[in-house]
Amino acid sequence: MGRQQRWRIATRVACFSALPLCAVSVAMPVWALEAAIDGVGGDVEENISAYLESIDEEQYTDVRLEGEIRSRTQEAMRVYGYYEPDIRVELEPAIRLTIDPGPRIEIEVLSINIEGDAKDDPPFKEALDNFPLREGEPLRHAPWDSLRSQFSGLAIERGYFDWGFTDRRMEVRPYLQSARLYMDFDSGPRYRFGQTYITGSHIDPERLQNMQTFETNDPYLAESLATYNQRLAETGWFRSVTVRPRLETAQELTITPPSGGDPWWSEATASQPVRPLISSAALASVLMINKRDDTQLPIDVSVEPADRHQFEVGIGYATDVGPRLRFSWNQPWINSYGHSLNHDLYLSAPEQRFTGVYNIPLEDPLRDSYRLQYGIRNIDDSDTQSLEAGVELGRRWQFDNDWVQTIYFRTTYEDFTQGGEADQVWLFYPGIQWSRTRTRPQRFPLWGDRQQLSVEYSDRVWGSDAQFTRLTGDTEWIRTLGNDNRFLARLSMGAIETDDFSKLPPSLRFFAGGDRSVRGYSYESLSPRNAEGRLRGGQQMVTSSLEYQRRVKDNWWGATFIDTGDAFDDWAPDDLKTGAGVGVRWVSPVGPIRFDVAHPFDNDDAYRIHFSIGPEF
């Protein structure tokens, strides 16, 4: 009784024993045929093994099995130019192939020609220059087939919709050990972008057209359409976006789309009606009789408005703040110019805040905008009590290198008590910030970095209650070695120069300690203290962290880390606070969950648990 037959019997018995579990169809496993191969090696041997492994030997008699093995071996060797191998097959005691590959076919004639507008198109010339086969060299089928697919793929991607092969032959003469290869590719004319027609938009069409990545009469490029589609989707204005060329070319009538259904072609023709298909020969005759002179291709943009009001509720927990609740109300568009309005309510034991952002996009909505931000915040945490209200008007630019520059003017009123000292201040100050965040993937980055630098200045000359210059900077890095080793590094610095530190509210002073600062110490518990031992905040701050994570299994990671830093009044602190520990990371469906146990080095008996949800940055 063969292995396959025994497996089937065992499967039937199992199904009758546990009928509910076998109610769905059971896919029978296929035993891969294993054969020892002598006489050839390298790629040829690997290809023969790949051709043979799907054979189910239990389905064949010995004679048929030998014939199937021989046939597949010949087919596997032919693509490497071996057309007359001598193959001896032994089935007992184990399958063994002894192969004399025989002479290898050499290329006698190699003729590849490109006609039409693609003749001078750099990607086509590059594909031809990089073609690895030459006359006098051994024949290999793969590069030949790849070039054919590359030509057809480039034609669709670059707008040669009337392309075709006028000649495509591989003539092999095994008795002469020679082959003649002919490929004549006629691209026809290259189509160009025509007018853009937008339907279904609640946003001013001119604003959408300004986001185009192409101009009318530019040479067609599918990548430009994909980029335009992505840019429209990123605005948040639309529930769905479709950008397609309006194809009315003869290529739509061919029996088989290029490259057996190339993704570019499928996307490009998805909106077209189904038409009767004709043969390639008939199509060629039609093209010779009636060639189209107009090569401008209209672009159809179909969009569906996003919901005007979007709500989101979030619940979380962190040892820094305890339970927390967030409620957001997002209006991605409020008029035909694409203005948006977002409101956010955040509640936790030490902090409650309500903020709003009114966004006014300019000519390039994704990269250039005005922003009006406003909000109110209440803090009651340890030695800090503060009620703050503020308004900020800013201009934001995003550059091609993903850096974001923001210039803003902010006014705040803060009624505060810090370390027992109370005051009320009005502050008016401009600032500038540069930032960039890059991550991949988003949910649990295996590669990424975040940079931020900001400078703010306030002066009594324009009515502010305090004069100061404030500088902050952050850099964080994530890198992965292999698939299982993840490294994180972080450095944060800040400094304030002022003639009266007591006039600065808690929101501008520096504190350290907590889940995202120096673990082993409680939230914002590190700063200079006054004569009564109460926290009063520092004029400078520096914190840093190094962390190594190792994948344990699937989405579970172990971590070890060391943090150091402090907030202080001088650039040379006497003793930076340092904590180290171990932790666990679980990449949950809602984001990474972190659990750490940290030990502060200045207290031998102490340790602190840190728990938080969310990405590192």
Side-chain angles (χ1 to χ4, degrees):
M1 184 182 294
R3 289 173 297 177
Q4 188 74 5
Q5 187 174 359
R6 289 196 298 270
W7 172 262
R8 288 172 179 161
I9 293 174
T11 302
R12 293 191 186 104
V13 171
C15 282
F16 282 117
S17 301
L19 186 60
L21 298 179
C22 296
V24 295
S25 61
V26 178
M28 299 299 179
V30 177
W31 295 101
L33 184 143
E34 296 183 0
I37 301 174
D38 298 327
V40 294
D43 293 339
V44 179
E45 181 182 3
E46 291 180 5
N47 202 44
I48 293 173
S49 297
Y51 269 67
L52 298 181
E53 68 178 5
S54 61
I55 295 178
D56 179 5
E57 58 184 293
E58 299 291 342
Q59 302 296 323
Y60 295 86
T61 63
D62 287 351
V63 174
R64 289 186 59 218
L65 178 61
E66 180 179 344
E68 184 70 13
I69 291 174
R70 192 183 306 276
S71 174
R72 295 199 186 194
T73 301
Q74 291 173 338
E75 186 179 355
M77 296 185 66
R78 191 174 296 126
V79 298
Y80 285 96
Y82 296 101
Y83 274 69
E84 294 184 315
D86 182 19
I87 304 170
R88 188 168 73 252
V89 181
E90 301 175 33
L91 300 181
E92 297 292 344
I95 298 176
R96 176 175 293 274
L97 279 68
T98 303
I99 302 173
D100 178 3
R104 192 173 187 182
I105 303 298
E106 292 186 355
I107 300 173
E108 178 185 0
V109 176
L110 179 63
S111 176
I112 305 175
N113 300 294
I114 301 175
E115 299 296 335
D117 289 355
K119 183 176 184 179
D120 298 318
D121 197 351
F124 283 89
K125 296 172 67 176
E126 183 179 355
L128 195 56
D129 292 341
N130 293 336
F131 185 62
L133 300 183
R134 297 289 183 271
E135 290 183 356
E137 294 182 353
L139 171 66
R140 289 181 289 133
H141 288 203
W144 180 255
D145 295 336
S146 176
L147 183 64
R148 178 188 61 191
S149 298
Q150 195 171 2
F151 278 171
S152 58
L154 284 172
I156 297 303
E157 293 173 19
R158 303 183 66 79
Y160 300 96
F161 294 115
D162 296 328
W163 67 274
F165 290 98
T166 56
D167 192 7
R168 189 181 65 204
R169 289 177 291 148
M170 177 186 291
E171 299 177 357
V172 181
R173 296 171 170 82
Y175 56 91
L176 295 177
Q177 293 88 51
S178 68
R180 299 179 179 182
L181 308 181
Y182 304 92
M183 185 183 295
D184 293 334
F185 177 80
D186 187 354
S187 69
R190 184 174 186 182
Y191 281 73
R192 296 180 175 272
F193 287 113
Q195 289 187 343
T196 299
Y197 298 90
I198 300 173
T199 59
S201 178
H202 56 297
I203 304 298
D204 183 1
E206 183 179 354
R207 182 169 288 275
L208 303 187
Q209 289 175 341
N210 288 338
M211 299 177 64
Q212 287 185 184
T213 54
F214 52 87
E215 300 290 341
T216 300
N217 211 39
D218 281 351
Y220 177 90
L221 193 61
E223 183 180 0
S224 296
L225 286 188
T227 302
Y228 184 33
N229 195 108
Q230 180 181 357
R231 287 170 60 81
L232 292 177
E234 288 177 352
T235 61
W237 296 333
F238 309 108
R239 176 183 295 144
S240 65
V241 178
T242 303
V243 180
R244 292 193 181 101
R246 188 184 300 170
L247 292 175
E248 298 174 352
T249 69
Q251 280 292 356
E252 295 177 77
L253 306 178
T254 56
I255 291 177
T256 305
S259 303
D262 187 278
W264 287 109
W265 179 261
S266 300
E267 173 67 20
T269 60
S271 64
Q272 301 304 308
V274 177
R275 297 183 174 92
L277 300 178
I278 63 176
S279 69
S280 298
L283 172 65
S285 300
V286 172
L287 290 177
M288 294 300 296
I289 297 172
N290 183 23
K291 286 193 174 181
R292 176 174 173 168
D293 295 327
D294 181 15
T295 58
Q296 277 206 346
L297 199 61
I299 304 300
D300 291 324
V301 178
S302 176
V303 297
E304 183 180 352
D307 293 336
R308 193 164 189 173
H309 300 278
Q310 302 173 5
F311 302 94
E312 184 177 350
V313 177
I315 300 175
Y317 180 88
T319 49
D320 282 348
V321 299
R324 56 192 180 193
L325 173 67
R326 183 185 299 274
F327 178 82
S328 63
W329 171 26
N330 178 28
Q331 296 176 265
W333 58 275
I334 59 176
N335 55 35
S336 62
Y337 299 105
H339 295 190
S340 63
L341 181 61
N342 302 323
H343 286 105
D344 187 86
L345 175 65
Y346 172 87
L347 301 173
S348 69
E351 179 181 357
Q352 306 84 44
R353 67 173 180 263
F354 175 79
T355 58
V357 179
Y358 187 87
N359 187 69
I360 305 174
L362 299 178
E363 184 173 354
D364 187 342
L366 296 179
R367 296 181 177 270
D368 195 3
S369 62
Y370 284 111
R371 290 189 176 184
L372 175 65
Q373 302 185 56
Y374 48 88
I376 184 169
R377 181 174 68 161
N378 180 69
I379 296 178
D380 188 353
D381 181 31
S382 185
D383 296 331
T384 303
Q385 292 81 41
S386 172
L387 179 62
E388 174 190 4
V391 177
E392 175 185 305
L393 178 63
R395 173 77 179 270
R396 178 185 181 273
W397 297 266
Q398 181 173 342
F399 305 114
D400 292 338
N401 58 7
D402 292 331
W403 279 93
V404 176
Q405 175 180 277
T406 305
I407 296 178
Y408 56 88
F409 183 85
R410 181 181 300 161
T411 176
T412 64
Y413 170 80
E414 194 159 348
D415 184 352
F416 67 91
T417 301
Q418 181 64 55
E421 300 178 3
D423 206 342
Q424 299 175 356
V425 294
W426 276 99
L427 299 178
F428 307 93
Y429 54 97
I432 183 170
Q433 182 183 87
W434 299 273
S435 63
R436 182 178 69 177
T437 300
R438 303 180 297 177
T439 59
R440 59 175 188 260
Q442 289 287 339
R443 188 161 65 102
F444 186 67
L446 299 178
W447 181 96
D449 53 71
R450 183 182 74 89
Q451 324 297 331
Q452 179 268 320
L453 176 66
S454 62
V455 181
E456 298 168 328
Y457 178 74
S458 176
D459 201 306
R460 294 187 179 89
V461 171
W462 51 68
S464 188
D465 287 340
Q467 179 175 332
F468 64 85
T469 301
R470 189 172 188 266
L471 173 68
T472 59
D474 297 277
T475 180
E476 298 183 59
W477 298 81
I478 297 176
R479 293 294 185 267
T480 304
L481 181 62
N483 295 321
D484 302 325
N485 302 282
R486 190 168 181 257
F487 299 88
L488 294 85
R490 171 180 50 81
L491 175 65
S492 297
M493 302 182 70
I496 299 173
E497 180 64 34
T498 181
D499 57 356
D500 189 356
F501 185 71
S502 65
K503 282 291 186 179
L504 293 184
S507 61
L508 297 178
R509 303 184 188 188
F510 293 110
F511 300 85
D515 299 343
R516 297 179 180 268
S517 181
V518 182
R519 284 165 286 188
Y521 299 87
S522 60
Y523 179 58
E524 294 192 347
S525 63
L526 300 179
S527 88
R529 297 177 180 268
N530 58 23
E532 298 176 354
R534 296 182 177 181
L535 298 172
R536 63 178 184 84
Q539 290 187 241
Q540 288 89 32
M541 180 271 296
V542 60
T543 63
S544 64
S545 178
L546 289 174
E547 182 170 327
Y548 166 67
Q549 299 176 5
R550 171 75 179 179
R551 189 195 302 270
V552 178
K553 184 179 181 181
D554 299 331
N555 289 327
W556 290 91
W557 297 67
T560 181
F561 58 86
I562 182 170
D563 300 339
T564 187
D566 204 350
F568 39 83
D569 289 332
D570 298 309
W571 272 111
D574 296 334
D575 187 16
L576 289 176
K577 305 298 183 181
T578 301
V582 295
V584 176
R585 308 286 180 265
W586 176 43
V587 187
S588 75
V590 298
I593 297 178
R594 298 186 298 277
F595 178 85
D596 293 323
V597 179
H599 167 63
F601 283 8
D602 60 357
N603 188 337
D604 293 339
D605 298 325
Y607 71 92
R608 186 172 181 82
I609 294 176
H610 296 270
F611 177 81
S612 60
I613 301 175
E616 285 82 5
F617 52 86

